[in-house]
């Protein structure tokens, strides 16, 4: 299900004023500007449409205001908006001293990586001088379109971080989630690039003064107040990162819910969720099976570990499917209203896009076709959420749908597998048991997507059967 919010006015966070009291006893100190006695090379990387080219323009104007020379090349390719963008900027004492603008291998004095994926490009890495180039990278993960087409798609962030460290030096790069900080402070991630420019300036990574940069921002005339504030907040991040971290803790817009860390917390959070999802008896069913697995693993390895955690995550996934009752509960829960109020100042109406199995509508590809329902659907949700005790009873109107039957059969099969593991796992097969317990990990999605993933998971499970029939 999806919801459309019509006539919505998104909330806008007000930027904080940067003053002496915000920093403590002293004002933000002016950075040491490096002497510009030669060509100074800057590479700015990012995604088109996010202000990457503007960074080069601001640097060029700042240099011009101080009587220095500047040249730049913007390489946006065919996909300027949403595609990879590289800006090469050269600064020099005079315009006459700039000859070649493109930054060649080993020539970059500053790399401002506004997107970690683009920064991991081979040519950008090659432009760095190990242990010399100032490298500042936005570590925010911006998913490409492949994420929607491939459920297992993941950005190679760890590999990119490693590659950047190898090129720049282990301790040289600074990785910062500039997009999240900008979103919290300004309700606009577009401010992230200017925030990073402020970090570079405060670290002494730019041969132009902060005053010249701010003047260039004002002359640019676009979102002046936000960009000046973002630049100053970036300087503050470089000077006093703890203060910005504290600000993120107090002004973050995410949930107050803590992330479970220990195995006991992981189990407890899921048990509590299942009690709300259906009832306390259902949650106890989860806890009893996990306790049996933990007891068996503890008997073998002196404590619950990989096997128990695998069973926790996979059993919970199969027990907490997002069926019709759960969709209704989520929309009528107070959290949905709080989320709307947290994101929007006002809105006109809500529309829900649903594909109820009882309607059976199909598109040209034979997949369930969504229908649009108006705000009165909230009344239906309220009723349906109160009927969740019917979920496993013969009176459930959705129980005869093939998808629901398959999900119940899959859960029953997995519970039987866990019972076999709890009864028979030993020192000789505990590792195999943990791998076997993970077979539902491939299950994901809804409707035909989920059905296909269940079939794939079943095929994967069958690969283990010969081994486990002999050992468990």
């Amino acid at each position: 299900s999806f919801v459309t919010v019509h006539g919505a006015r998104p909330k806008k966070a007000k930027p904080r004023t940067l003053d002496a009291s915000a920093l403590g006893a002293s004002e933000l100190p002016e950075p040491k500007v490096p002497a510009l006695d030669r060509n100074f090379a800057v590479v700015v990387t990012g995604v088109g449409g996010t202000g990457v080219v503007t960074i080069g323009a601001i640097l060029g104007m700042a240099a011009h205001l101080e009587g220095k020379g500047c040249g730049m090349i913007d390489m946006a390719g065919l996909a300027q908006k949403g595609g990879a963008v590289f800006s090469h900027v050269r600064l020099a004492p005079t315009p006459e001293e700039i000859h070649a603008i493109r930054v060649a291998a080993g020539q970059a004095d500053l790399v401002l990586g506004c997107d970690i994926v683009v920064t991991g490009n081979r040519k950008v890495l090659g432009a760095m001088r190990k242990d010399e180039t100032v490298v500042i990278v936005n570590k925010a993960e911006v998913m490409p379109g492949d994420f929607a087409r491939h459920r297992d798609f993941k950005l190679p962030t760890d590999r990119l971080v490693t590659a950047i460290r190898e090129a720049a030096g282990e301790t040289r790069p600074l990785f910062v989630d500039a997009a999240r900080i900008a979103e919290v402070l300004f309700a606009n991630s577009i401010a992230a690039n200017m925030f990073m420019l402020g970090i570079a300036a405060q670290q002494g990574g730019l041969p132009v003064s902060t005053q010249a940069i701010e003047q260039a921002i004002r002359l640019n005339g676009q979102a002046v107040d936000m960009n000046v504030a973002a630049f100053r907040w970036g300087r503050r991040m470089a000077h006093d990162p703890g203060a910005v971290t504290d600000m993120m803790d107090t002004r973050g817009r995410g949930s107050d819910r803590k992330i479970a860390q220990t195995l006991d917390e992981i189990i407890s959070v899921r048990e509590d969720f299942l009690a709300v999802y259906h009832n306390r008896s259902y949650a106890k069913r989860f806890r009893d099976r996990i306790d049996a697995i933990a007891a068996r693993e503890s008997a073998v390895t002196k404590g619950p570990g990989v096997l128990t955690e695998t069973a926790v995550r996979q059993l919970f996934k199969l027990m907490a499917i997002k069926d019709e009752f759960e969709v209704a509960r989520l929309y009528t829960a107070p959290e949905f209203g709080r989320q709307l109020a947290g994101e929007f100042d006002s809105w006109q109406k809500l529309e829900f896009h649903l594909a109820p199995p009882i309607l059976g509508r199909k598109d040209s590809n034979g997949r369930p076709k969504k229908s649009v329902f108006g705000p009165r659907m909230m009344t239906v949700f309220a009723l349906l959420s109160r009927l969740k005790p019917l979920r496993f009873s013969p009176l459930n109107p959705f129980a005869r749908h093939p998808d629901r039957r398959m999900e119940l059969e899959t859960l029953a099969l997995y519970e039987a597998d866990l019972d076999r593991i709890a009864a028979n796992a030993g020192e000789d097969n505990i590792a195999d048991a943990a791998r076997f317990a993970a077979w539902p990990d491939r299950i994901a999605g809804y409707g035909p997507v989920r059905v296909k993933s269940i079939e794939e998971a079943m095929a994967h499970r069958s690969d283990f059967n010969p081994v486990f029939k002999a050992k468990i």
Side-chain angles (χ1 to χ4, degrees):
S1 71
F2 298 92
V3 60
T4 299
V5 185
H6 288 277
R9 294 179 55 196
K11 282 186 179 294
K12 290 291 184 181
K14 294 182 179 180
R16 291 191 175 237
T17 302
L18 187 64
D19 55 21
S21 62
L23 289 170
S26 62
E27 295 182 358
L28 190 64
E30 284 297 324
K32 182 179 180 180
V33 179
L36 187 59
D37 52 6
R38 58 175 177 81
N39 269 222
F40 189 94
V42 180
V43 177
V44 186
T45 71
V47 175
T50 61
V52 177
V53 173
T54 302
I55 296 294
I58 294 296
L59 289 176
M61 178 55 71
H64 174 72
L65 292 171
E66 293 188 335
K68 299 169 182 175
C70 176
M72 67 190 75
I73 299 176
D74 298 319
M75 291 170 281
L78 296 176
Q80 295 187 22
K81 190 173 183 67
V85 175
F86 307 86
S87 285
H88 289 212
V89 183
R90 288 275 187 176
L91 305 175
T94 64
E96 292 76 18
E97 295 181 60
I98 296 178
H99 303 290
I101 299 176
R102 185 186 296 270
V103 180
Q107 290 187 353
D109 297 292
L110 168 67
V111 172
L112 204 62
C114 301
D115 179 84
I116 190 170
V117 175
V118 183
T119 307
N121 179 278
R122 178 174 53 85
K123 290 186 178 180
V124 177
L125 296 177
M128 301 176 187
R129 294 194 305 277
K130 193 167 187 176
D131 298 323
E132 294 184 24
T133 302
V134 176
V135 180
I136 303 168
V137 182
N138 181 6
K139 68 178 182 181
E141 295 184 348
V142 180
M143 289 292 181
D146 286 343
F147 175 72
R149 293 185 289 271
H150 306 288
R151 69 171 184 263
D152 296 326
F153 179 85
K154 293 181 180 179
L155 284 176
T157 303
D158 292 340
R159 179 171 59 81
L160 291 169
V161 168
T162 299
I164 293 169
R165 290 192 188 280
E166 289 177 353
E170 185 63 30
T171 61
R172 196 64 173 171
L174 172 64
F175 295 92
V176 58
D177 194 345
R180 177 172 176 263
I181 293 173
E183 184 67 30
V184 169
L185 295 179
F186 307 104
N188 193 342
S189 61
I190 204 75
N193 295 351
M194 206 61 68
F195 177 84
M196 294 179 61
L197 187 65
I199 295 176
Q202 192 65 28
Q203 285 190 342
L206 291 172
V208 289
S209 68
T210 57
Q211 293 85 357
I213 293 175
E214 288 195 12
Q215 188 177 352
I217 292 173
R218 293 188 175 92
L219 289 172
N220 184 53
Q222 298 296 317
V224 172
D225 291 342
M226 182 186 74
N227 284 324
V228 169
F231 177 71
R232 292 180 180 179
W233 274 104
R235 292 181 57 197
R236 180 180 178 183
M237 180 71 182
H239 172 70
D240 185 10
V244 178
T245 302
D246 292 343
M247 193 69 66
M248 295 295 293
D249 292 340
T250 58
R251 296 199 67 198
R253 294 166 60 190
S255 170
D256 293 333
R257 183 178 57 194
K258 292 183 179 180
I259 303 298
Q261 300 292 337
T262 66
L263 180 56
D264 286 342
E265 289 175 346
I266 292 171
I267 296 172
S268 179
V269 165
R270 284 157 176 76
E271 182 182 9
D272 291 343
F273 182 95
L274 290 172
V276 177
Y277 173 87
H278 191 61
N279 58 28
R280 183 54 65 179
S281 176
Y282 192 60
K284 185 176 184 299
R285 172 175 157 186
F286 168 82
R287 168 66 80 163
D288 288 347
R289 269 197 171 77
I290 296 306
D291 285 348
I293 292 291
R296 170 60 66 172
E297 187 174 21
S298 296
V300 175
T301 65
K302 309 304 181 185
V306 175
L307 171 59
T308 303
E309 183 170 348
T310 300
V312 168
R313 296 186 184 279
Q314 303 308 325
L315 180 59
F316 174 78
K317 173 196 285 190
L318 298 180
M319 293 184 73
I321 62 169
K322 193 178 287 186
D323 60 9
E324 293 76 15
F325 299 107
E326 178 64 358
V327 169
R329 185 191 72 81
L330 291 174
Y331 275 130
T332 54
E335 290 80 5
F336 178 62
R338 286 197 291 266
Q339 184 181 7
L340 286 173
E343 294 288 338
F344 308 110
D345 283 324
S346 64
W347 61 90
Q348 294 176 355
K349 69 172 184 176
L350 303 178
E351 280 188 342
F352 302 92
H353 305 261
L354 310 169
I358 57 176
L359 295 183
R361 297 183 63 200
K362 303 286 185 180
D363 61 16
S364 58
N365 295 319
R367 294 197 170 196
K369 186 176 182 179
K370 291 190 180 294
S371 302
V372 179
F373 299 85
R376 292 184 180 178
M377 195 65 193
M378 287 296 290
T379 303
V380 178
F381 286 149
L383 174 63
L384 195 57
S385 65
R386 289 195 291 269
L387 295 177
K388 69 178 184 180
L390 302 179
R391 178 178 273 124
F392 300 112
S393 82
L395 299 179
N396 180 357
F398 311 105
R400 295 181 181 84
H401 193 274
D403 291 0
R404 296 292 169 262
R405 291 203 302 268
M406 175 178 279
E407 286 161 348
L408 288 176
E409 291 168 0
T410 304
L411 171 60
L413 180 62
Y414 188 65
E415 287 179 312
D417 286 343
L418 292 183
D419 290 344
R420 290 168 57 214
I421 291 173
N424 300 296
E427 291 184 5
D428 62 330
N429 58 18
I430 193 72
D432 288 338
R435 286 191 291 271
F436 179 57
W439 68 259
D441 189 55
R442 296 167 180 254
I443 299 175
Y446 305 95
V449 175
R450 187 174 185 87
V451 170
K452 183 178 179 182
S453 71
I454 290 176
E455 292 172 351
E456 292 174 353
M458 291 295 188
H460 179 64
R461 176 185 178 276
S462 67
D463 294 339
F464 287 91
N465 278 345
V467 175
F468 280 89
K469 283 180 178 177
K471 294 188 176 183
I472 292 184

Coordinates of all heavy atoms in Angstrom, one line a residue, residues 16-28 232-233 236 239-240 243 247:
R16 N 19.7 27.6 12.4 CA 20.1 28.2 13.7 C 21.1 29.3 13.4 O 21.9 29.3 12.5 CB 20.7 27.2 14.6 CG 19.7 26.2 15.1 CD 20.2 25.4 16.2 NE 19.2 24.5 16.7 CZ 18.8 24.5 18.0 NH1 19.4 25.3 18.9 NH2 17.9 23.7 18.4
T17 N 21.0 30.3 14.2 CA 22.0 31.5 14.1 C 23.3 31.0 14.7 O 23.4 30.5 15.9 CB 21.4 32.7 14.8 OG1 20.2 33.1 14.3 CG2 22.4 33.9 14.7
L18 N 24.4 31.3 14.0 CA 25.7 30.9 14.5 C 26.3 32.1 15.2 O 26.5 33.2 14.7 CB 26.6 30.5 13.3 CG 28.0 30.0 13.7 CD1 27.9 28.7 14.4 CD2 28.8 29.8 12.4
D19 N 26.4 32.0 16.5 CA 26.9 33.1 17.3 C 27.9 32.6 18.4 O 28.1 31.4 18.5 CB 25.8 33.9 18.0 CG 24.9 33.0 18.8 OD1 25.3 31.9 19.2 OD2 23.7 33.4 19.1
A20 N 28.4 33.5 19.1 CA 29.4 33.1 20.1 C 28.9 32.2 21.2 O 29.6 31.2 21.6 CB 30.0 34.4 20.8
S21 N 27.6 32.3 21.6 CA 27.1 31.5 22.6 C 26.9 30.1 22.1 O 27.0 29.1 22.9 CB 25.7 32.0 23.1 OG 24.8 32.1 22.0
A22 N 26.7 29.9 20.8 CA 26.5 28.6 20.2 C 27.8 27.8 20.2 O 27.8 26.6 20.2 CB 25.9 28.6 18.8
L23 N 28.9 28.5 20.2 CA 30.2 27.9 20.1 C 30.9 27.8 21.5 O 31.9 27.1 21.6 CB 31.2 28.7 19.2 CG 30.8 28.6 17.7 CD1 31.6 29.6 16.9 CD2 31.1 27.2 17.2
G24 N 30.4 28.4 22.5 CA 31.0 28.4 23.8 C 31.5 29.8 24.1 O 30.9 30.8 23.8
A25 N 32.7 29.9 24.6 CA 33.3 31.1 25.1 C 33.9 32.0 23.9 O 34.0 33.2 24.0 CB 34.3 30.9 26.1
S26 N 34.2 31.3 22.8 CA 34.9 32.1 21.8 C 34.1 32.1 20.5 O 33.3 31.2 20.3 CB 36.3 31.5 21.5 OG 36.2 30.2 21.1
E27 N 34.4 33.0 19.6 CA 33.8 33.0 18.3 C 34.5 32.0 17.4 O 35.6 31.5 17.7 CB 33.8 34.4 17.7 CG 33.0 35.5 18.5 CD 33.1 36.8 17.8 OE1 33.8 36.9 16.8 OE2 32.5 37.8 18.3
L28 N 33.9 31.8 16.3 CA 34.5 30.8 15.3 C 35.8 31.4 14.8 O 35.8 32.5 14.2 CB 33.5 30.6 14.2 CG 33.8 29.5 13.2 CD1 33.8 28.1 13.9 CD2 32.8 29.5 12.0
R232 N 28.8 28.3 7.1 CA 29.3 28.6 8.5 C 29.1 27.3 9.4 O 30.0 27.1 10.2 CB 28.5 29.8 9.1 CG 28.8 31.1 8.4 CD 28.0 32.2 9.1 NE 28.3 33.5 8.4 CZ 27.8 34.7 8.8 NH1 26.9 34.7 9.7 NH2 28.1 35.8 8.1
W233 N 28.0 26.6 9.2 CA 27.9 25.4 9.9 C 29.0 24.4 9.5 O 29.5 23.6 10.4 CB 26.5 24.7 9.7 CG 25.5 25.3 10.6 CD1 24.5 26.2 10.3 CD2 25.3 25.0 12.0 NE1 23.7 26.5 11.3 CE2 24.2 25.7 12.4 CE3 25.9 24.2 12.9 CZ2 23.7 25.7 13.7 CZ3 25.5 24.1 14.2 CH2 24.4 24.8 14.6
R236 N 31.9 25.3 11.4 CA 31.8 24.9 12.8 C 32.1 23.4 13.0 O 32.7 23.0 13.9 CB 30.4 25.2 13.3 CG 30.1 24.8 14.7 CD 28.7 25.2 15.1 NE 28.5 24.8 16.5 CZ 27.3 24.9 17.1 NH1 26.3 25.4 16.5 NH2 27.2 24.5 18.4
H239 N 35.7 22.9 13.2 CA 36.2 23.5 14.4 C 35.8 22.7 15.6 O 36.6 22.5 16.5 CB 35.8 25.0 14.5 CG 36.2 25.6 15.8 ND1 37.5 25.8 16.2 CD2 35.5 26.0 16.9 CE1 37.6 26.4 17.4 NE2 36.3 26.5 17.8
D240 N 34.5 22.4 15.7 CA 34.0 21.7 16.9 C 32.9 20.7 16.5 O 31.7 20.9 16.6 CB 33.3 22.8 17.8 CG 32.8 22.3 19.1 OD1 33.2 21.1 19.4 OD2 32.1 23.0 19.8
A243 N 29.9 19.7 18.8 CA 28.8 20.6 18.9 C 27.7 20.3 17.9 O 26.5 20.3 18.1 CB 29.2 22.1 18.8
M247 N 23.9 18.7 18.2 CA 22.8 19.3 17.6 C 22.0 18.2 16.8 O 20.8 18.3 16.8 CB 23.3 20.4 16.6 CG 22.2 21.3 16.1 SD 21.5 22.3 17.4 CE 22.9 23.4 17.8

